[in-house]
Amino acid sequence: MEFSHKAIEKKWQKVWEENKTFKTTDQSKQKIYVLDMFPYPSGAGLHVGHTKGYTATDVFARFKKHQGFDVLHPIGYDAFGLPAEQYALKTGNDPRDFTLKNIANFRTQLKKMGYSYDFDKEIITSNPNYYKITQWIFCELFKKGLAEIRNVNVNWCPGLGTVLANEEIETKNGKTVSEVGGFDVFKKPMRQWVLKITNYADELLDGLNELDWSKSIKDLQKNWIGKSAGTVIEFDVKDSAEKISVFTTRADTIFGVSYIVLAPENNLVKKLVSKKQEKLVDDYIKQTSAKTDIERQDDSKPKNGVFLGRYAINPINGEEVQIWTGDYVLNDYATGSVMAVPAHDERDFKFASNYNLPIKFILESEDKTKAFVGESKYINSEYLDGLQKRDDAKNLVIKNLTKNKKCTLKVNYKLRDWLFSRQRFYGEPFPLAFDENNNIVLLEKELPVELPKADYIKPSGTGESPLANLTDWLHIERDGKKLVRETNTMPQWAASSWYHLAYILATSPNEFLDIQSSEAKALFKKWLPVDIYVGGQEHAVGHLLYARFWHRFLYDLGIVPTKEPFKKLINQGIVLDSNGEKMSKSKGNVINPEEIINSHGADCLRLYNVFMAPVEASLQWSEKGLDGARKWLDRVFRMIKNTKTTDKNNGSLDFIFNSVLQKYTQMMEDFKYNTGVSQLMLFVNQVYKEDQPVYKEYFEKFLIMLSPIAPHIAEELWEFLGHKDSIYAQPWPIFDPKKIEIDEVIIPIQINGKVKATLNVKKDTSKDSLIKEAKSIENIKKQLQDKNILKEIVVINKIINFVVK
Ligand code: ANZ
């Protein structure tokens, strides 16, 4: 190895720290806010997966600094919440001390990577100064009617002792489990806080249009919000005053309805079930309660249900159809009941086939063994017969039913309100209490409502938070009234829903400006929106939706000046082990970046991260690749140290330097670092071919270009070339277009308008010389022989044409 990375990296990290090199500036008209998804401080520390995204943003932030931007590039820790608490409990620690200890480790590791974070703006979400503002936002949401307590059917996770939001659960091997820990999850009705994110459904959907995000993430959000425009149609019930409202997006299929299905939880089920069917239906309801929505919607499973022993009347033609209950219908979507059209809906087809219910095709279809979901000619549908277009048929049915007041138009959303309480210790306490009549009293004047000290913080398992056991804390008196505090805590997602604003407010670590102050307003105006946000795809419908919701809410309050928080989003690819497998602790294949920093150096790891794969692609770990990156850095080091330089430019490197600079700059702009590095390599290769002293300015400019990627070695060599100040804020070089002009042109030679040959000549060659050279080409000479040249047409640099007879 050519240089001691340990010595160099230590030296420059110390200089940067002492000089506060990365302090956020406010001196330019151009700003860039480059944000990383912050880590939760697990005891395992930084892993190489983190370094892939964090290096990508750091390279960009440094590049923009060179270009003269004011750069906001901060970092903090998602210290509250399930992952941090779960990790602490698992390792027998108290989450409060433990997370602080882990944070200290993270901070050291981040600094060892040479990241240009402004550590004066560091935030820790479990710091009372931080959660004071989280609680303030909650109070505002509450006052605007966007936070309320509801009895909801929640995802209860006994393993974690808490409820979980839909965004926190997943299906594995056909079972619904928690994302954190993979514990079983069941449905259970509970009294919970919800935030009415659904009030913002349309705005969250429309806002996607103005964002520079990948189509796949936008689609994930769109589908999660799940806007669906349809119709609610009312069916009478035979021998009853009850009515059944169904939601359908296919009013055109109403002549094909063969039965009605109610969700098992639909209140009408108990009202309508006949005596004879009661026992069967009761058993079925019990059976269903053990299933989650995800299992119920799993289309690979057979669809089942029970007949209620009752009939409904189709409002379009008075036909009697059976009423069933079946768990493929969800109670909390739309009206919790559907009109089933098995011939044209796959789920209904499965259900009907299972119970021999009629399957009536109302659209022409050759294959009667499965549902036909496309468009074709309407049949068996009275006045719709012969129509071809779905919209025409729909409109006719809707018009007809509306006349009889049997239908209304309705827009539904899949998005559910955000389940916002957790029965866990380690989160933000709710800033409120209840009086004797259960009225809510906001404690907004005493923010932050601090998380009390407690010795026993494990989840009780009963659905009550451990805070409920702290009787001294629990009971308070305000204005002569006896109050009991809310004992749930907020979910992890609360703090990360506004942390992009916290960095702007931070005046020193965990010290914040008042979010409502005019200073805060001016700073929000300067820095928002976040220009580049880089993080994992797994946050597509959780954090990214929550943060957009809070940001919109704060926009409506007049706190922030933009509707959207994150303008451009990049999802970094994951790091795989050398066998192509995902790194995980259980597999024992995780690589600790500190090992690489020790063996190869942080610059090498940075270079390796950006060179081996595009930012968005996954990266397969390879020792060879790492060694290769190090070898190249050694080559650069040798080049600068050992090559004789001169202050006079002899021009021999003009073309390569300027062409590399031009391409590299654009590639940096486009986050195409991997191809960018190849450009730098071209330059180095060319220098090694030189047999004369190299123009020193090109070396200096090359080091500035290298410095976003390998900042330590760039500083070291910059100093070696005689500079006293840091390379960090040196202006980005500008390429000279004249030096990359290609001075040869290829000119077609025509005879009577047909191309007969081409001519390679110096640019701007004169008319006379062009004609002379053209005539000396063998083929042209031959063809002009014995011919009468009527005209010689020449457009310099473009074309030569001989008109002959
Ligand atoms: C009749 C019909 C005929 C339907 C047909 C589809 C095809 P989206 O787009 O997801 O909103 N549906 C309505 N409420 C439901 C619930 N609570 N649980 C399960 N399914 C429900 O889909 C709307 C369609 O999903 C509705 O249109 C209804 O089935 C079903 F050829 O009604 B349809």
Side-chain angles (χ1 to χ4, degrees):
M1 287 188 190
E2 286 301 317
F3 61 93
S4 159
H5 54 266
K6 284 192 185 156
I8 289 182
E9 291 176 2
K10 209 165 152 198
K11 167 180 162 188
W12 289 106
Q13 284 161 16
K14 190 160 169 265
V15 171
W16 294 332
E17 178 123 21
E18 280 170 4
N19 295 345
K20 288 200 183 278
T21 305
F22 309 130
K23 186 147 186 69
T24 312
T25 51
D26 186 5
Q27 62 202 20
S28 168
K29 282 212 176 74
Q30 290 180 297
K31 69 92 186 179
I32 193 125
Y33 185 175
V34 185
L35 182 63
D36 288 306
M37 288 188 186
F38 62 171
Y40 82 83
S42 81
L46 212 60
H47 57 75
V48 283
H50 284 122
T51 67
K52 189 164 190 289
Y54 293 174
T55 303
T57 48
D58 198 61
V59 169
F60 196 74
R62 284 174 173 270
F63 166 58
K64 287 287 152 186
K65 186 72 197 176
H66 286 298
Q67 287 192 323
F69 283 65
D70 282 330
V71 177
L72 178 55
H73 185 42
I75 193 73
Y77 310 94
D78 199 7
F80 256 154
L82 260 185
E85 184 181 13
Q86 208 51 19
Y87 193 88
L89 289 176
K90 211 161 108 191
T91 48
N93 287 285
D94 183 312
R96 286 157 298 194
D97 315 330
F98 193 56
T99 40
L100 290 181
K101 217 167 90 200
N102 294 340
I103 284 170
N105 182 37
F106 262 88
R107 189 184 295 119
T108 310
Q109 291 183 320
L110 292 168
K111 288 185 178 174
K112 281 190 182 167
M113 281 299 290
Y115 292 142
S116 61
Y117 295 126
D118 177 357
F119 280 96
D120 282 351
K121 282 186 169 284
E122 190 192 74
I123 58 168
I124 298 176
T125 57
S126 59
N127 185 292
N129 288 344
Y130 186 95
Y131 66 75
K132 177 180 175 180
I133 304 179
T134 314
Q135 290 173 336
W136 178 83
I137 298 173
F138 175 84
C139 289
E140 295 304 306
L141 285 161
F142 179 79
K143 288 193 283 187
K144 288 278 183 298
L146 289 166
E148 66 180 29
I149 296 178
R150 253 186 239 161
N151 255 324
V152 270
N153 221 9
V154 297
N155 306 306
W156 170 248
C157 178
L160 292 173
T162 185
V163 302
L164 296 171
N166 284 347
E167 293 81 355
E168 293 169 314
I169 58 173
E170 59 188 5
T171 311
K172 267 208 180 129
N173 306 326
K175 271 176 128 190
T176 304
V177 296
S178 58
E179 257 185 347
V180 173
F183 298 106
D184 286 340
V185 172
F186 305 94
K187 278 276 175 202
K188 180 174 170 179
M190 275 176 95
R191 177 195 149 277
Q192 295 294 322
W193 278 98
V194 291
L195 296 188
K196 294 194 205 166
I197 188 171
T198 52
N199 282 26
Y200 279 79
D202 264 328
E203 291 177 49
L204 290 172
L205 202 57
D206 294 344
L208 289 172
N209 294 331
E210 64 182 75
L211 299 178
D212 184 5
W213 293 17
S214 73
K215 182 167 174 329
S216 69
I217 294 279
K218 282 190 186 184
D219 284 349
L220 280 171
Q221 291 219 342
K222 250 182 227 163
N223 294 337
W224 193 261
I225 295 169
K227 185 174 181 171
S228 165
T231 323
V232 172
I233 299 177
E234 198 180 88
F235 282 66
D236 288 334
V237 178
K238 193 178 165 197
D239 303 328
S240 162
E242 298 291 349
K243 317 254 181 217
I244 300 174
S245 295
V246 303
F247 173 73
T248 178
T249 47
R250 294 293 307 276
D252 57 300
T253 60
I254 191 152
F255 287 100
V257 173
S258 81
Y259 56 99
I260 297 284
V261 194
L262 306 179
E265 304 86 351
N266 190 320
N267 291 333
L268 282 174
V269 170
K270 291 221 157 112
K271 285 189 194 158
L272 295 181
V273 61
S274 71
K275 268 260 148 338
K276 197 169 148 232
Q277 294 294 89
E278 217 162 39
K279 168 91 178 61
L280 273 178
V281 167
D282 270 356
D283 289 349
Y284 182 71
I285 293 175
K286 274 194 206 107
Q287 210 182 303
T288 300
S289 65
K291 292 192 197 168
T292 63
D293 290 358
I294 301 176
E295 285 170 79
R296 285 166 60 165
Q297 298 236 286
D298 184 348
D299 283 339
S300 65
K301 300 249 164 78
K303 303 275 159 266
N304 57 39
V306 182
F307 178 40
L308 293 191
R310 283 277 198 159
Y311 294 83
I313 295 163
N314 189 333
I316 206 87
N317 56 8
E319 202 173 292
E320 287 181 14
V321 292
Q322 296 188 354
I323 306 173
W324 285 64
T325 180
D327 63 15
Y328 73 101
V329 175
L330 303 177
N331 198 41
D332 60 358
Y333 183 63
T335 61
S337 34
V338 306
M339 59 179 218
V341 185
H344 303 293
D345 179 278
E346 275 153 8
R347 289 179 296 171
D348 296 344
F349 190 92
K350 274 192 187 152
F351 191 91
S353 308
N354 214 3
Y355 297 109
N356 273 329
L357 288 158
I359 299 176
K360 180 177 162 195
F361 281 82
I362 55 100
L363 286 158
E364 269 183 356
S365 159
E366 274 172 18
D367 185 359
K368 301 277 192 293
T369 62
K370 58 176 197 235
F372 173 74
V373 296
E375 281 192 79
S376 73
K377 195 158 98 186
Y378 285 83
I379 51 171
N380 302 325
S381 296
E382 298 184 10
Y383 50 88
L384 304 183
D385 286 357
L387 289 179
Q388 289 278 2
K389 290 217 168 91
R390 184 174 292 177
D391 281 347
D392 294 345
K394 251 190 216 175
N395 288 340
L396 270 180
V397 171
I398 291 170
K399 204 166 131 199
N400 188 334
L401 289 175
T402 313
K403 237 187 340 209
N404 302 327
K405 299 213 164 57
K406 290 290 185 194
C407 103
T408 44
L409 298 178
K410 175 102 176 80
V411 175
N412 269 312
Y413 298 90
K414 294 249 153 52
L415 183 68
R416 298 280 79 109
D417 278 332
W418 174 7
L419 194 70
F420 196 68
S421 35
R422 298 292 179 274
Q423 294 69 49
R424 300 286 301 227
F425 171 77
Y426 197 51
E428 300 84 350
F430 281 77
L432 56 93
F434 301 90
D435 71 9
E436 280 160 349
N437 299 320
N438 240 356
N439 295 316
I440 292 166
V441 180
L442 268 193
L443 303 173
E444 58 179 330
K445 296 212 178 67
E446 41 194 279
L447 302 184
V449 171
E450 289 206 32
L451 187 64
K453 300 252 169 313
D455 293 329
Y456 193 77
I457 58 162
K458 280 204 174 135
S460 62
T462 60
E464 277 249 66
S465 150
L467 290 177
N469 301 326
L470 306 177
T471 37
D472 286 353
W473 177 81
L474 198 61
H475 299 282
I476 53 173
E477 218 178 290
R478 297 287 183 274
D479 301 328
K481 271 202 218 160
K482 286 200 162 67
L483 306 174
V484 183
R485 289 183 193 269
E486 168 66 69
T487 58
N488 283 321
T489 51
M490 297 186 198
Q492 184 197 8
W493 311 109
S496 56
S497 293
W498 74 277
Y499 81 120
H500 59 288
L501 304 176
Y503 291 127
I504 299 176
L505 295 178
T507 49
S508 59
N510 299 308
E511 296 288 337
F512 302 98
L513 290 173
D514 177 355
I515 191 169
Q516 296 179 84
S517 65
S518 52
E519 282 156 288
K521 241 187 200 127
L523 286 174
F524 285 147
K525 192 151 179 258
K526 162 134 193 155
W527 290 110
L528 288 174
V530 173
D531 297 279
I532 301 286
Y533 192 25
V534 177
Q537 162 126 16
E538 66 275 16
H539 294 298
V541 293
H543 158 65
L544 285 171
L545 210 48
Y546 298 147
R548 291 184 61 219
F549 163 41
W550 277 32
H551 193 90
R552 284 227 163 213
F553 171 67
L554 292 172
Y555 171 80
D556 288 345
L557 284 187
I559 301 281
V560 296
T562 62
K563 288 186 181 172
E564 288 290 335
F566 314 121
K567 194 160 117 205
K568 184 177 172 76
L569 174 76
I570 295 180
N571 294 118
Q572 94 249 13
I574 53 172
V575 180
L576 305 168
D577 74 3
S578 50
N579 300 318
E581 289 196 49
K582 206 176 157 178
M583 290 188 182
S584 76
K585 245 187 282 162
S586 57
K587 283 192 208 137
N589 59 356
V590 177
I591 290 175
N592 179 347
E594 248 178 303
E595 278 170 30
I596 313 295
I597 294 172
N598 276 331
S599 60
H600 291 70
D603 279 342
C604 179
L605 181 53
R606 292 171 64 108
L607 172 67
Y608 173 77
N609 267 313
V610 298
F611 180 53
M612 292 297 279
V615 182
E616 288 101 334
S618 55
L619 182 153
Q620 186 164 341
W621 195 258
S622 133
E623 279 296 321
K624 249 178 142 177
L626 204 60
D627 292 343
R630 173 63 206 225
K631 272 198 190 123
W632 187 72
L633 287 177
D634 284 326
R635 190 167 154 82
V636 168
F637 196 83
R638 265 197 318 269
M639 172 181 88
I640 304 282
K641 286 261 172 166
N642 301 345
T643 312
K644 277 215 170 67
T645 58
T646 159
D647 288 335
K648 278 211 193 88
N649 183 8
N650 66 14
S652 66
L653 288 169
D654 280 0
F655 180 81
I656 182 80
F657 177 80
N658 284 285
S659 119
V660 162
L661 173 57
Q662 182 197 22
K663 290 188 188 138
Y664 183 67
T665 307
Q666 191 56 48
M667 286 164 180
M668 294 291 273
E669 202 70 66
D670 299 339
F671 279 83
K672 295 201 172 112
Y673 306 143
N674 54 329
T675 50
V677 173
S678 312
Q679 287 296 319
L680 296 184
M681 290 175 170
L682 286 181
F683 175 74
V684 175
N685 290 349
Q686 197 60 37
V687 170
Y688 272 99
K689 286 187 195 146
E690 284 287 290
D691 49 11
Q692 46 193 335
V694 167
Y695 184 35
K696 189 175 167 202
E697 203 178 296
Y698 284 163
F699 271 175
E700 290 169 332
K701 289 181 173 170
F702 169 81
L703 288 177
I704 296 172
M705 288 154 72
L706 178 70
S707 99
I709 293 173
H712 306 88
I713 157 169
E715 285 277 25
E716 181 70 14
L717 294 171
W718 181 252
E719 186 186 59
F720 171 77
L721 291 184
H723 296 281
K724 296 263 174 302
D725 47 355
S726 163
I727 198 170
Y728 172 68
Q730 296 302 320
W732 193 253
I734 293 172
F735 79 95
D736 181 350
K738 281 208 202 85
K739 302 248 158 82
I740 50 173
E741 268 177 12
I742 301 174
D743 57 356
E744 281 220 331
V745 284
I746 303 171
I747 301 181
I749 307 167
Q750 298 180 337
I751 297 180
N752 286 346
K754 287 210 174 98
V755 179
K756 300 292 178 190
T758 56
L759 187 63
N760 281 34
V761 286
K762 264 207 162 334
K763 226 177 139 192
D764 299 331
T765 303
S766 72
K767 186 176 168 180
D768 290 349
S769 320
L770 285 176
I771 290 173
K772 202 167 139 208
E773 287 207 38
K775 284 183 176 165
S776 69
I777 293 176
E778 213 40 56
N779 181 29
I780 301 291
K781 213 196 251 167
K782 243 202 319 241
Q783 300 208 31
L784 291 181
Q785 249 171 27
D786 317 324
K787 290 266 159 60
N788 201 358
I789 299 179
L790 301 177
K791 226 184 199 177
E792 292 170 346
I793 306 169
V794 175
V795 183
I796 290 175
N797 296 334
K798 294 264 161 61
I799 200 161
I800 305 166
N801 188 12
F802 297 102
V803 183
V804 299
K805 214 173 140 186

